[in-house]
Structures are given as C-alpha cells and as structure tokens.
Amino acid sequence: MNTRAAVHLSPSDALTALRDAAPLVQCITNAVVTGFTANVLLAVGAAPAMCDLPGEAGMFAGIADGVLVNLGTPGAEQRDGAREAVRATERWVLDPVAVGALPVRTAFAAELLEHRPAIVRGNASEILALAGAGAGGRGVDATEGTDAAADAARGLALRTGGVVAVSGAVDLVTDGVQVVRIGGGDALLTRVTGGGCSLGAVMAAFLGVCEPLDAAVAASTLYAAASERAAARSTGPGSFAVALLDALAEVAPAELEDRARVERTAVGTAGGR
Amino acid sequence: MNTRAAVHLSPSDALTALRDAAPLVQCITNAVVTGFTANVLLAVGAAPAMCDLPGEAGMFAGIADGVLVNLGTPGAEQRDGAREAVRATERWVLDPVAVGALPVRTAFAAELLEHRPAIVRGNASEILALAGAGAGGRGVDATEGTDAAADAARGLALRTGGVVAVSGAVDLVTDGVQVVRIGGGDALLTRVTGGGCSLGAVMAAFLGVCEPLDAAVAASTLYAAASERAAARSTGPGSFAVALLDALAEVAPAELEDRARVERTAVGTAGGR
Amino acid sequence: MNTRAAVHLSPSDALTALRDAAPLVQCITNAVVTGFTANVLLAVGAAPAMCDLPGEAGMFAGIADGVLVNLGTPGAEQRDGAREAVRATERWVLDPVAVGALPVRTAFAAELLEHRPAIVRGNASEILALAGAGAGGRGVDATEGTDAAADAARGLALRTGGVVAVSGAVDLVTDGVQVVRIGGGDALLTRVTGGGCSLGAVMAAFLGVCEPLDAAVAASTLYAAASERAAARSTGPGSFAVALLDALAEVAPAELEDRARVERTAVGTAGGR
C-alpha cells in the first residue's frame, strides 16, 4: 500500500518537487472532465492515468503516487473500480460531486469515507452535506461561501484523520486543527467545466511529494496563481481554459510564494461539530 | 413534474431571461461531447449537470429546468437513466444521433418518443429516419438539406405535440403549424465535434425560460450569431471552438434581433405526412 | 467485410485522397480522448463516429472506412462492442494502451490480436509488452526509445500479417520487412492527452484510402508536420492543442513531402524474434 508522505513542503518547494518527480496520478473521475483533467495534470508536470476498471484499479492504485476518486458520474462499474483503489492506497483524494443532492453517490461517498481519504475536496454545499450538516446544493453549484462550511470541514477532517479543502472565492483547507485560506484566482475558473474537479486531481499529484495539508494548500495556491495569469490573457471562458493550461505549465515556483495569501490559524482545540 | 413554460419570448428577450435565471440543465448525453457541452452551457450562462445515473436521473429531472437526452453513445446504464428522466419532466429535448443507421438507438428513440419531447433536434437524415420517412444517414453526417426534412419535421411535431428542429446550413424549426428558418452561422461549426449536440443542450436551457418553439429558435439564433463572431477570429477548427465559447458568453441580446433571419410562415393546415 | 485497400500512396497523395474521400472512421476508444480524437478527425477531413455499443458496433464496422480500437478505458460493454467490430472489418487499428502493466486489457489485447489488426500503434513499452518481450511501462508513459522496440515490432508485424507503428521522438513503422522512421514533430505533443491516441485514429482514417504501411507512415508524417506548425504558434500545452487542430486542417499535402524524413530500409529476411 502507498502510505502517505510525511514531508512538509511550502507551495513553491512542493511545485518544484512535483515537476522533478512527475508523479503518476490515477484518476477515477467523471466522464465530463476526464480530458481536461488529464491535460491539467500533464501541464502541471504529472503523469495522468485514467484507470478505473475493476480488476485493474486496485493494482494500479498500489503503484500510483496519488489517486483521485471523483463522484461526478459514478456508474456501477466505476464504483467497483473505486472500491478497489481506496483499499490499495492512503494517498487519495475524494471529490464528492453533488453529494447530498443525489442518493446513489451520497450513499457511495459515505462508504468511501470509511477508507479515510487523505484529502476531501468539494464546494461548501458538498462539504456540508458530506459532514451531515447540510442538505446539499443543486448539484455542482457552489451556493455558499467557504466560511459557511468551516466548522463542518474541521469536523470532517477530524473524523477522517485527513484534510478537507473547501473551494470557493476564498479556498479553505483544514486538517481539523489548522485552517488555511487561499484567496486570489479568478471567477472565470467557475465558467470552465472541470475547474474544481481538476484541482482535486492536482491535489492527488501533490500527495506524491508531500503531506496532505501541504498538498492541498500547494494545489490551491498554484490554481490561484495560474488562474490570474490566464485571466489576464483571455477574452472569455473558452480562451481562459486554454490559457490556464499554458499558465499551469509556466508558473514559476517563486510565484506561489509571492502571490500566496495564506493564513495559518492555530485554532486551539478542535471543537468543530 | 416540471411542466413546460408557456411564456413567449423573442430570441433577445429569451437570452436575457436565460442569463438572469441561470437554468439548471441536466444532460444525458454522449461520451464524446460531455465536456464541450458543459462548457457551452456555462458560457451561455446556464448551470450544467451531467447526471445520467439510474436512481438519480429521474429525481434530478424533477428539479432541473431543462433536460437533454442525446443518443450518441447510449449504453445500457445510460438508457435506464434516460427512461427515468423523461418520465419526470416535460421540459426535455431529444437528440436522436445517428438514428436510422443503428438499431439499438433507433429502437430506443422510438420508445422515448412516446414520452413526448418538448423539442426534437437533429440533422435532416435523423429527422427523416425518426419520422419513419428515411433510412438514416451514415451516422452523424448531415447529408441532406433541412428543407428535405420539412414535411417529416412537421408531421413529427404534430405527433409529439412538441417542436422539431432540423439543423443544417439553414436551421428549420416547426411546431407542425409554424415554420421558422434561421440562416447565418458558419460552416466551421460542422468541423467541431459537439456543435450540434451542444445546440440541443442550449435548447434545453431555453426550455427553462420560455415555451418550446421560442426556445428552439432562440438557441439556433444564438448559435448563428456566436458562430459568425467566432469565425471572424479563428484560423481553423481548433481556434473556432475556443472562440465559440468566448462568443457565446459575450453576444449581446440585441445582436440576436439584429442578426436574426427569422421567417415565421403560417402554413395553413398542417398537412405534413 | 471491409477488406484492406491495396493502393500504394505517398504521404502527400494519401492526404489528398483522404480529404477527397472524407472516410468514415469508427472509434472504439477511451473516455479521456473521445472529444479530442473526434476533433482531430474532423480537422484532418475525416468523418468520425464514436460507435462502440454492442448490437451496433459490428454492423457499423462493416460500413466504416476504418476502425480504431483503443484500450485506454475498456469497460465490459465496450469490450463486447470491440469484439463485434474486429470480426466485421480488416481495416482496423489496435492501440494497446498500457498493455503489460494492467491485466484486463493485456488479456483483451491478446484476444484481439488474433483478429489481425491492419496496424498496431503504441509506444515502445506497449509494443514490447504486446510482443511478449517486455513487462510494460507504468501506463501511458513512453519510457523507452522506439529503436528499443524495433525487433519486437518486426516480429509482431510478421505474426499479425499487418503493420506495427511505434510512437516516440522518432516514430518507427514496420511491416516486418521494411522499416520506416519518421522524425520531426514536437515534444509538446506529449503534453496533450490523446496525442498518441488520436494518431491511431488518423491511421484508421488513412486505412480508408491506402494500404496499411502507407497509412501508418502518412499519419505519422502528417502529425510531424502539423506538430511543428502548431509549436511555432503556441505558448504552452493548452494553446498547442488548439493550434494542432488548426494545423491538421491547413497542412498542404506538399508539406508532407518536403518535411518527411522517411527512410525505407530493406532489412533482408525478417529475422526479428
């Protein structure tokens, strides 16, 4: 089994390490974003493999440096593949797309949660629903600010022993004790399908080089920097998506430090939930 | 059940209404175009959700503002999802991809037709085949002009009680009584996969704000205007697809009026078929 | 059954013939690259149809001008579709994605090989694994140079009676007797998902107009020329993918002759393996 890396790295050092290591990232993800997600991983410098087949997914998770399980279109065959994978690695990210609103994936997410994802990444509605504290949004919409899910996120992190990342205008990442907020980025990212889903994949890539909290923060910071670069060059959502891939490939590690608006807030005892 | 909107709107008013409402559009569509279709809907201002799973698709159709059922790659699991959805809403679009040429989807389209789609959108070969008046093309090709399918389209519309939209160099939309033709656009749209499929999704989005004939006409008009904008900025099919997404986001409602080449032809009694 | 074309054509003549014929290309391919592959085929001038459904795939293969079977995400339903297709045509390309590394597709590739693909296209690791001479890479990576797979490719070609194409910095194509090398291109192609998969689809398109060795060489040469054009205009992997589609549509047949670095090496008796 691939156990979690214990290495602490700043976002810029994590990006350098990722590009050096070219981690192999297994994506068990939805049919809408597979191509874009693979292109994001290639742009970042990782090696994507969209291996979700029962009979292969578990074996592959054992050699992958990071694994994403995204519940956007969880057909029966893919659910079996995901079950294999999460038993074979600790370095995995759960993206509970539309959990709360839809019953099949909601039940499946609860099942997967028992296998303790290193990172859970979702929008506020999804995190609230997964933590049992909300009824779910109307699917992929982020209808609430990330702060609304801060307590739910901290409670969920304590339950899984991992990290929870809430995506929004300001991203929030927590391991139940520390809370990190990453601002910046650009709203055009919400006009591109797979913007959030591919962020989860990049978190899985960073799991190959550092520990979960740093991985989630590095990915969010990289996305903020790259989104700003891309927005400066684009004239709408189509050109933004193209420019984002270029930007993810060309962002210098130092840009993550200079642009980061990271606050690490020690919150005393973890009283969430 | 989501019943059909009875509101009459011009293309420009419909576009304004769509951007205000951000309708939730459920897409049960083919594996080739899911990403592009979601990006088109986001560009237009709608909220896409590619929810096609049995056990979820019917429930979701009950809350979606419009639903697309596209038969491009109708696997067994997806067919079951589609069956659920069409029982839960009246606001749905059927896109009978390659019907006539291929037996599984041809039989399935006939089954779905009984659930009375608000709009059927296809090329002339597909509409002729679905109406029982042709043998089907060789798949996704549009090998005949839309006028060749005018009678078949009118007859099919009378049979379903809905609207039929035939896509081609000049789009034709009919409810069996009125016939509307929309010219313009650009042939580059036929060099991008999902050009037609995503048009069907946009019709489903407009079903969230106006009645079916206006919805189909608004979508075709928007595509004509956006395609012309995009063609003016692109150097081939790759850059056209990118520019189309930008154009769909930036087209002003007034451009639909100024650019529309819409003819509403009262055709007396509906003698089609 | 569609039997193999016996026509010999140079790359430039093959491109002219392809654009004239607009061959119908059936793609049974993976979920990651379906959209990009269809766009590549449209850009080249072919007519793509992603028909992989049991009950349809065999019938369609009988009318298609070329068929691709790509093993990137071979779910159970798709495997049944592929089985139908390869029985209905001789004009098919096998792309054994990640064979050797993963058991389900490795067994399935061995089964398909008995149906004698006109062309097998893969990277060196995949060809070595398929020929029984290697243990497979870590998925989609090309971790070895194409020359390392030259003997395996020749032996495999003699076994199938077809052509084997090994993709890499220098592409290698062989029918077991002749060996053709095509250099050029650009490394950015390896940063776009579906770069290799879509090359296999273009080989299937050329199978509609010429014999297998010429088809594989024409496709590789076209990709080298178009990749160089695209790289000259792009600023990263995102803009490269867009520019590649534009370039595939605009490359003039004469550019394939001028740019080709093709060596046809008679190797005497075929002593491979």
Side-chain angles (χ1 to χ4, degrees):
Chain A
M1 175 181 283
N2 266 334
T3 53
R4 294 178 194 171
V7 184
H8 277 289
L9 291 177
S10 71
S12 62
D13 288 346
L15 181 56
T16 301
L18 187 156
R19 287 179 179 163
D20 286 349
L24 181 61
V25 183
Q26 179 181 10
C27 298
I28 299 177
T29 192
N30 70 74
V32 187
V33 303
T34 44
F36 185 69
T37 300
N39 278 330
V40 161
L41 288 170
L42 287 167
V44 164
M50 270 49 192
C51 176
D52 64 0
L53 210 61
E56 295 186 342
M59 156 187 297
F60 201 76
I63 62 167
D65 298 304
V67 177
L68 169 69
V69 178
N70 172 299
L71 303 187
T73 55
E77 194 172 19
Q78 195 184 58
R79 292 199 298 277
D80 285 339
R83 286 183 178 104
E84 287 184 10
V86 300
R87 279 193 284 262
T89 184
E90 294 184 355
R91 296 185 195 169
W92 71 287
V93 176
L94 173 64
D95 190 332
V97 180
V99 158
L102 295 166
V104 174
R105 67 195 69 196
T106 301
F108 188 52
E111 175 190 335
L112 289 177
L113 215 52
E114 299 306 311
H115 294 274
R116 304 171 54 118
I119 301 173
V120 176
R121 190 217 69 84
N123 62 36
S125 299
E126 293 159 350
I127 298 303
L128 285 164
L130 194 61
R138 28 172 231 166
V140 295
D141 272 8
T143 50
E144 309 198 54
T146 53
D147 276 336
D151 284 349
R154 288 171 56 219
L156 188 58
L158 291 174
R159 202 164 105 205
T160 62
V163 164
V164 176
V166 193
S167 301
V170 176
D171 289 348
L172 183 154
V173 178
T174 181
D175 60 2
V177 180
Q178 294 186 88
V179 175
V180 184
R181 289 184 172 80
I182 303 102
D186 194 279
L188 271 172
L189 190 60
T190 65
R191 301 288 295 274
V192 175
T193 197
C197 296
S198 61
L199 175 59
V202 174
M203 289 180 181
F206 277 112
L207 280 181
V209 297
C210 60
E211 59 87 33
L213 187 72
D214 291 347
V217 170
S220 286
T221 307
L222 173 59
Y223 258 59
S227 294
E228 291 174 19
R229 260 186 184 264
R233 285 190 211 164
S234 56
T235 54
S239 50
F240 176 80
V242 173
L244 180 66
L245 293 172
D246 285 1
L248 286 168
E250 77 195 358
V251 164
E255 287 180 66
L256 302 201
E257 295 296 5
D258 293 346
R259 292 165 158 275
R261 285 178 282 276
V262 180
E263 308 156 28
R264 291 185 185 261
T265 311
V267 292
T269 56
R273 312 191 67 227
Chain B
M1 175 182 285
N2 265 333
T3 53
R4 294 177 194 171
V7 185
H8 277 289
L9 291 176
S10 71
S12 62
D13 288 345
L15 180 57
T16 301
L18 187 157
R19 287 178 178 161
D20 286 348
L24 181 61
V25 183
Q26 178 182 11
C27 297
I28 299 176
T29 192
N30 71 74
V32 188
V33 303
T34 44
F36 185 69
T37 300
N39 278 329
V40 161
L41 288 171
L42 287 167
V44 164
M50 271 47 191
C51 176
D52 63 359
L53 210 60
E56 295 186 342
M59 156 186 297
F60 201 77
I63 62 167
D65 298 304
V67 177
L68 169 70
V69 178
N70 172 300
L71 303 187
T73 54
E77 195 172 18
Q78 194 184 60
R79 292 199 298 275
D80 284 340
R83 285 183 178 104
E84 287 183 11
V86 300
R87 280 192 284 263
T89 184
E90 293 184 354
R91 297 186 194 169
W92 70 286
V93 176
L94 174 64
D95 190 332
V97 180
V99 158
L102 295 165
V104 174
R105 67 195 68 198
T106 300
F108 188 52
E111 175 190 336
L112 290 177
L113 214 52
E114 299 305 310
H115 294 274
R116 304 171 54 118
I119 300 173
V120 175
R121 191 217 69 85
N123 62 38
S125 299
E126 292 159 350
I127 298 302
L128 284 165
L130 194 61
R138 32 172 227 166
V140 295
D141 272 7
T143 49
E144 309 198 53
T146 54
D147 276 337
D151 283 349
R154 288 173 55 220
L156 188 60
L158 291 174
R159 202 163 106 204
T160 62
V163 164
V164 176
V166 192
S167 300
V170 175
D171 289 349
L172 183 154
V173 179
T174 182
D175 61 1
V177 180
Q178 294 187 86
V179 176
V180 185
R181 290 184 173 79
I182 303 102
D186 194 279
L188 271 172
L189 191 59
T190 66
R191 302 288 294 276
V192 175
T193 197
C197 296
S198 60
L199 174 59
V202 173
M203 289 180 181
F206 278 112
L207 280 181
V209 297
C210 61
E211 59 86 36
L213 188 72
D214 292 347
V217 170
S220 286
T221 307
L222 173 59
Y223 258 59
S227 294
E228 291 173 18
R229 259 185 184 265
R233 287 190 209 162
S234 55
T235 55
S239 50
F240 175 81
V242 173
L244 180 65
L245 293 172
D246 285 1
L248 286 167
E250 77 195 359
V251 163
E255 288 180 65
L256 302 201
E257 295 296 5
D258 293 347
R259 291 167 160 276
R261 286 178 281 276
V262 180
E263 307 156 28
R264 291 185 185 262
T265 312
V267 294
T269 57
R273 314 192 65 224
Chain C
M1 175 181 284
N2 265 333
T3 53
R4 294 178 193 170
V7 184
H8 277 289
L9 290 177
S10 71
S12 61
D13 288 346
L15 180 57
T16 301
L18 186 157
R19 288 178 178 162
D20 286 349
L24 181 61
V25 182
Q26 178 182 10
C27 297
I28 299 177
T29 192
N30 70 75
V32 187
V33 303
T34 45
F36 184 69
T37 300
N39 278 330
V40 161
L41 288 170
L42 286 167
V44 165
M50 271 48 191
C51 176
D52 63 359
L53 209 61
E56 295 185 344
M59 157 186 297
F60 201 76
I63 61 167
D65 298 304
V67 177
L68 169 70
V69 178
N70 172 300
L71 303 187
T73 55
E77 195 172 18
Q78 195 185 59
R79 292 199 298 277
D80 284 341
R83 285 184 179 104
E84 287 183 11
V86 300
R87 281 193 283 263
T89 185
E90 293 184 354
R91 296 185 194 169
W92 70 287
V93 176
L94 174 64
D95 190 334
V97 180
V99 157
L102 295 165
V104 173
R105 68 195 68 197
T106 300
F108 188 51
E111 175 190 336
L112 290 177
L113 214 52
E114 299 305 311
H115 294 274
R116 304 171 53 118
I119 301 174
V120 176
R121 190 217 70 84
N123 62 38
S125 299
E126 292 159 350
I127 298 303
L128 284 165
L130 194 62
R138 29 173 231 165
V140 295
D141 272 8
T143 50
E144 308 197 54
T146 53
D147 276 336
D151 283 349
R154 288 172 55 219
L156 188 59
L158 291 175
R159 203 164 106 204
T160 63
V163 164
V164 175
V166 193
S167 301
V170 176
D171 288 349
L172 183 154
V173 179
T174 181
D175 61 2
V177 179
Q178 294 187 88
V179 175
V180 184
R181 289 183 172 81
I182 302 103
D186 193 280
L188 271 172
L189 190 59
T190 66
R191 301 288 295 276
V192 176
T193 197
C197 296
S198 60
L199 175 59
V202 173
M203 289 180 182
F206 278 113
L207 280 181
V209 297
C210 61
E211 59 86 35
L213 187 72
D214 292 347
V217 170
S220 286
T221 308
L222 174 58
Y223 258 58
S227 294
E228 292 173 17
R229 261 185 183 265
R233 287 191 210 163
S234 56
T235 55
S239 50
F240 175 80
V242 173
L244 180 65
L245 293 172
D246 284 2
L248 286 168
E250 77 195 359
V251 163
E255 288 181 64
L256 302 200
E257 296 295 8
D258 294 345
R259 291 166 161 275
R261 285 177 283 276
V262 180
E263 308 156 28
R264 291 185 186 260
T265 311
V267 293
T269 57
R273 312 194 62 231

